[in-house]
Amino acid sequence: MCIRMLMQMIDCMIEQDPSLSARRTIDMRRYIVNRWNRTHEESIDEDGVALFLCDESRGTLTDEQRIFARECREEIKACYRNAVFQMFQCGEMIRRHLVSGPEEYCRIFLPQYTVPCNKRLSPCNGL
């Protein structure tokens, strides 16, 4: 199965779960608003972003804001896809006894996100 098909299946799963789909939409809105407001003098309309995410033909966003919102929406979708894939991978590795649990999975496969017990990262962490 090619990666593209797998990612489409993950998108479909997210969209069919009302709670996860709603959470993703909320995160998209927050991300778009936060990023826009950090990089532009004039803030973006949060309600306009919410309407845009529900229906691109609605809302009061400018063309520039619509393009920006589309790009940000795709970034969040990619993050969710990746997170769901990693959860599946972790679960399957635990089921097959390839790792003892989530901590070992993260230590081996996501070393950039692990923090040693002393809470300090070495300069070469993740290499």
Side-chain angles (χ1 to χ4, degrees):
M1 174 184 310
C2 75
I3 278 287
R4 189 170 190 218
M5 286 177 58
L6 178 62
M7 293 306 160
Q8 287 173 340
M9 289 173 58
I10 290 172
D11 272 342
C12 187
M13 288 177 51
I14 292 169
E15 289 165 10
Q16 290 185 13
D17 181 311
S19 180
L20 192 53
S21 180
R23 176 86 255 154
R24 182 177 69 175
T25 302
I26 290 167
D27 289 346
M28 283 177 192
R29 188 186 81 209
R30 286 181 179 159
Y31 180 67
I32 292 165
V33 169
N34 186 333
R35 249 188 89 205
W36 178 272
N37 291 344
R38 272 190 297 137
T39 57
H40 295 79
E41 285 185 31
E42 187 177 323
S43 61
I44 195 169
D45 176 36
E46 286 190 52
D47 292 335
V49 172
L51 281 172
F52 174 82
L53 290 173
C54 293
D55 180 356
E56 284 194 24
S57 67
R58 299 189 63 202
T60 58
L61 301 183
T62 66
D63 289 342
E64 179 188 7
Q65 291 171 332
R66 288 174 185 277
I67 291 167
F68 184 85
R70 281 186 197 103
E71 291 170 0
C72 290
R73 178 182 60 199
E74 291 310 311
E75 290 172 359
I76 294 297
K77 280 185 171 186
C79 285
Y80 267 71
R81 270 186 230 118
N82 191 43
V84 170
F85 173 78
Q86 288 174 348
M87 287 190 304
F88 283 145
Q89 182 184 35
C90 178
E92 181 62 13
M93 293 188 104
I94 291 169
R95 188 183 72 75
R96 292 179 180 226
H97 306 288
L98 300 175
V99 295
S100 61
E103 295 84 9
E104 184 178 14
Y105 172 83
C106 289
R107 184 177 50 76
I108 294 170
F109 297 100
L110 306 171
Q112 67 271 28
Y113 300 115
T114 58
V115 178
C117 292
N118 65 8
K119 304 288 188 216
R120 291 179 37 194
L121 297 175
S122 70
C124 296
N125 190 32
L127 292 180

